[in-house]
Amino acid sequence: MKSDAVKVGMQQAPHRSLFNALGLTQEEMSKPLVGIVSSYNEIVPGHMNLDKIVEAVKLGVAMAGGTPIVFPAIAVCDGIAMGHIGMKYSLVTRDLICDSTECMALAHQFDALVMVPNCDKNVPGLLMAAARLNVPTVFVSGGPMLAGHVNGKKRSLSSMFEAVGSYAAGKMTEEDVMEFEAKVCPTCGSCSGMYTANSMNCLTEAIGMGLQGNGTIPAVYSERIKLAKHAGMKVMELLEKNIRPRDIMTEAAFMNALTVDMALGCSTNTMLHLPAIAHEAGVELNVDIANEISARTPNLCHLAPAGPTYMEDLNEAGGVYAVMNELSKKGLLNTDLITATGKTVGENIKNCVNKNPEVIRPIENPYSQTGGIAVLKGNIAPDSGVVKRSAVVPEMMKHEGPARVFDCEEDAIAAIKGGKIVAGDVVVIRYEGPKGGPGMREMLNPTSAIAGMGLGASVALITDGRFSGASRGASIGHVSPEAAVGGPIALIEEGDIIEIDIDANTLNVRVSDEELAARRAKWQPRQPKVTTGYLARYANLVTSANKGAILQTK
């Protein structure tokens, strides 16, 4: 056992004395040491129940003959961090989570790990750590929140942000907003639409690192406790069989995950996280392949904010495995791959039927013949830009209009709420990328303000920042290269005509190459917004969004 390095032999007597200080018995020390990485805290609604999940995992590990030992991982609530300096600290925690888990796991020589994440950056951060460490690992998330109910309709956090925009437009009263405030987030759990947290928890199933229901069983259901116990038991089976994360997270598994991503209509943030996870697994995942996969993958789900259904509905309809079963009917998945269940993808999904064709469209009757995400290129985005196609209204799939240029999110929000943005405009928010932000903030406030003011079907937004999975509309993020390194988005001027064609995967500004070259000759790099602390170090090391915003080691 790996843990013998800290348990067995005379040289390890000092180590054993410290295990004695922990109250471990000889019987516990003789068993495999299983690290349980807990993202529990009291500030993130998706994490406030993780203490119960962790206790269930511990019981499962112990029942299967292991010794469970808990250590923590940090987590930021993207919703609470939204719209201020706190959002600079969201994406950057992905690498802190990965690095700190590596430190703890190797310093203490755990034989296996159970990861207990839930919200946005925890899931990819811990998947990165699992790939890097490559010891037997299972994931069990805290589960999604139940949808709220306002005026007889299901609602979620995106409804809340849009309500603020509606209030600014005079379409809602303060009392209306307060009712939303009290009701849209009614339970613990990751927010109830197909936002980033739920996208990544679902893709954890699709890539094979989580058990059935990991992405969809609501946080408040007792079934989630049972799932956690089974995760604890399952990791002991993986340890016995020596099935490791890199056995599971192969190139073919990432293709499966991208395919499921397209069918579910996941958050555009998956286009940052999947390449970063793949990088740790030794797999090169170029986001350009997303369009190739999208072209052959029907979009089967329209969960909030793209449509009126929520994670609880997807769970009742059969969950991720039912979606995968639909996809397998047209041979769109590699079903021979091993997973954390100890079985193949095909064995996992064999009898998982679609129980609600209104929530999961049958493969013969999809929402669209193409997937939920598109990667755009053009003279604004030579490397890439990303849009959640499934959340764009038909009339905005092709759009052209004058650029309204802002060098930070705050200036854009002031203009939107001040009534200075009108139908037809294309809002450009730049210097918000991985380096320029730094930290690549999410733009949920501006997209929600646009939607809340009734401009969602007439105004587009492009940025070198990113979007929450709660954003909808013609919202194109991850524009690469970013403005901070002189990407063409830095050269756009007020009034330039922007041309967007999502079906053709293009994003251009109607300016000649000669004029862009002249503007480039005059462009000067901006002084860094942050010069001290972790953000400054991050800005120095981070790569562009099209490479997953990974940190360079050289």
Side-chain angles (χ1 to χ4, degrees):
M1 287 188 289
K2 189 181 183 75
S3 61
D4 286 351
V6 294
K7 296 187 309 186
V8 176
M10 187 54 65
Q11 282 293 114
Q12 281 63 46
H15 306 70
R16 290 194 297 274
S17 72
L18 293 168
F19 283 122
N20 285 330
L22 290 171
L24 292 188
T25 64
Q26 289 293 330
E27 290 83 358
E28 287 172 303
M29 279 188 264
S30 69
K31 296 175 181 177
L33 299 186
V34 179
I36 301 172
V37 189
S38 171
S39 300
Y40 168 78
N41 64 46
E42 295 183 343
I43 188 65
V44 185
H47 292 224
M48 61 181 284
N49 66 318
L50 295 191
D51 55 341
K52 295 179 177 60
I53 302 296
V54 166
E55 287 303 313
V57 172
K58 287 173 67 177
L59 186 57
V61 169
M63 285 193 296
T67 297
I69 300 176
V70 180
F71 64 89
I74 62 168
V76 165
C77 177
D78 277 29
I80 296 173
M82 196 70 66
H84 56 91
I85 190 174
M87 184 43 69
K88 294 179 186 290
Y89 286 92
S90 172
L91 178 62
V92 304
T93 64
R94 186 185 70 182
D95 296 276
L96 281 175
I97 291 160
C98 178
D99 292 348
S100 61
T101 302
E102 174 196 354
C103 293
M104 289 293 289
L106 292 181
H108 303 102
Q109 293 291 288
F110 288 105
D111 296 298
L113 297 167
V114 180
M115 307 294 198
V116 187
N118 209 27
C119 291
D120 295 28
K121 309 311 166 297
N122 283 86
V123 187
L126 290 179
L127 281 166
M128 288 164 67
R132 185 184 297 179
L133 291 162
N134 203 34
V135 299
T137 302
V138 174
F139 277 67
V140 55
S141 78
M145 185 183 290
L146 293 178
H149 291 81
V150 183
N151 299 325
K153 293 183 178 179
K154 286 185 176 182
R155 301 288 188 179
S156 61
L157 184 65
S158 53
S159 312
M160 187 71 251
F161 278 90
E162 290 179 15
V164 174
S166 295
Y167 174 76
K171 296 181 178 182
M172 288 180 71
T173 66
E174 185 175 349
E175 289 73 22
D176 292 333
V177 176
M178 288 176 67
E179 183 176 11
F180 271 70
E181 183 182 324
K183 294 179 178 178
V184 297
C185 296
T187 71
C188 64
S190 49
C191 297
S192 55
M194 187 52 82
Y195 311 148
T196 305
N198 292 327
S199 295
M200 291 308 303
N201 281 324
C202 287
L203 295 187
T204 299
E205 282 188 64
I207 208 167
M209 289 297 293
L211 307 185
Q212 183 180 5
N214 178 73
T216 59
I217 298 171
V220 294
Y221 283 13
S222 298
E223 191 67 25
R224 174 71 48 183
I225 301 296
K226 295 181 185 178
L227 181 70
K229 291 175 183 175
H230 282 128
M233 290 184 259
K234 186 59 67 175
V235 80
M236 298 304 297
E237 179 185 329
L238 297 183
L239 179 60
E240 182 182 354
K241 294 179 178 178
N242 196 29
I243 298 173
R244 298 168 181 255
R246 292 191 193 181
D247 299 326
I248 296 168
M249 290 193 280
T250 60
E251 183 175 0
F254 282 101
M255 296 304 105
N256 277 358
L258 277 169
T259 302
V260 175
D261 190 340
M262 296 300 170
L264 285 172
C266 289
S267 163
T268 52
N269 282 314
T270 61
M271 293 295 104
L272 281 176
H273 300 323
L274 288 176
I277 298 160
H279 175 75
E280 295 292 348
V283 174
E284 187 68 32
L285 185 62
N286 191 320
V287 294
D288 289 353
I289 201 170
N291 287 340
E292 181 184 324
I293 292 174
S294 179
R296 63 174 181 259
T297 307
N299 177 229
L300 305 182
C301 299
H302 267 193
L303 290 106
T309 54
Y310 294 81
M311 296 306 296
E312 63 206 63
D313 303 312
L314 179 59
N315 187 62
E316 295 301 319
V320 175
Y321 278 13
V323 174
M324 294 175 74
N325 197 23
E326 288 290 343
L327 293 170
S328 71
K329 293 176 183 177
K330 287 198 171 181
L332 295 173
L333 297 176
N334 186 326
T335 56
D336 296 328
L337 307 179
I338 195 66
T339 71
T341 66
K343 300 177 181 177
T344 65
V345 171
E347 290 171 320
N348 287 342
I349 67 175
K350 184 178 180 181
N351 297 312
C352 297
V353 298
N354 180 359
K355 299 176 182 177
N356 189 337
E358 297 303 312
V359 176
I360 304 171
R361 287 281 185 92
I363 196 81
E364 303 83 12
N365 181 36
Y367 281 101
S368 66
Q369 292 295 338
T370 52
I373 289 176
V375 174
L376 312 185
K377 289 193 175 186
N379 66 358
I380 294 175
D383 290 337
S384 69
V386 180
V387 64
K388 188 171 182 174
R389 174 165 41 197
S390 59
V392 180
V393 293
E395 53 267 41
M396 289 299 288
M397 293 295 284
K398 191 171 185 177
H399 178 79
E400 64 177 56
R404 306 299 309 280
V405 182
F406 304 94
D407 287 350
C408 67
E409 176 190 6
E410 288 82 358
D411 290 350
I413 291 171
I416 296 165
K417 291 187 175 179
K420 296 179 181 178
I421 303 301
V422 299
D425 285 349
V426 179
V427 177
V428 177
I429 305 177
R430 62 193 181 190
Y431 296 99
E432 290 285 7
K435 283 185 181 293
M440 203 180 183
R441 288 195 286 180
E442 287 185 342
M443 301 293 154
L444 180 55
N445 273 344
T447 59
S448 297
I450 287 168
M453 298 184 80
L455 297 170
S458 59
V459 169
L461 192 157
I462 68 173
T463 180
D464 53 8
R466 61 196 178 91
F467 295 107
S468 164
S471 290
R472 61 188 176 100
S475 304
I476 301 161
H478 307 197
V479 169
S480 302
E482 62 174 294
V485 298
I489 191 172
L491 309 178
I492 298 172
E493 295 181 358
E494 186 81 7
D496 285 349
I497 300 301
I498 306 288
E499 300 172 335
I500 300 166
D501 191 335
I502 295 173
D503 286 329
N505 301 316
T506 59
L507 175 64
N508 290 291
V509 58
R510 197 183 296 163
V511 173
S512 69
D513 292 346
E514 292 77 14
E515 173 60 19
L516 285 176
R519 293 180 188 180
R520 179 175 301 285
K522 298 176 184 176
W523 178 82
Q524 293 292 322
R526 300 292 178 92
Q527 289 297 313
K529 293 177 184 175
V530 179
T531 57
T532 60
Y534 179 61
L535 284 179
R537 296 199 303 276
Y538 181 88
N540 283 333
L541 295 172
V542 71
T543 61
S544 64
N546 67 301
K547 294 182 179 178
I550 60 174
L551 300 186
Q552 302 171 98
T553 54
K554 295 182 181 179

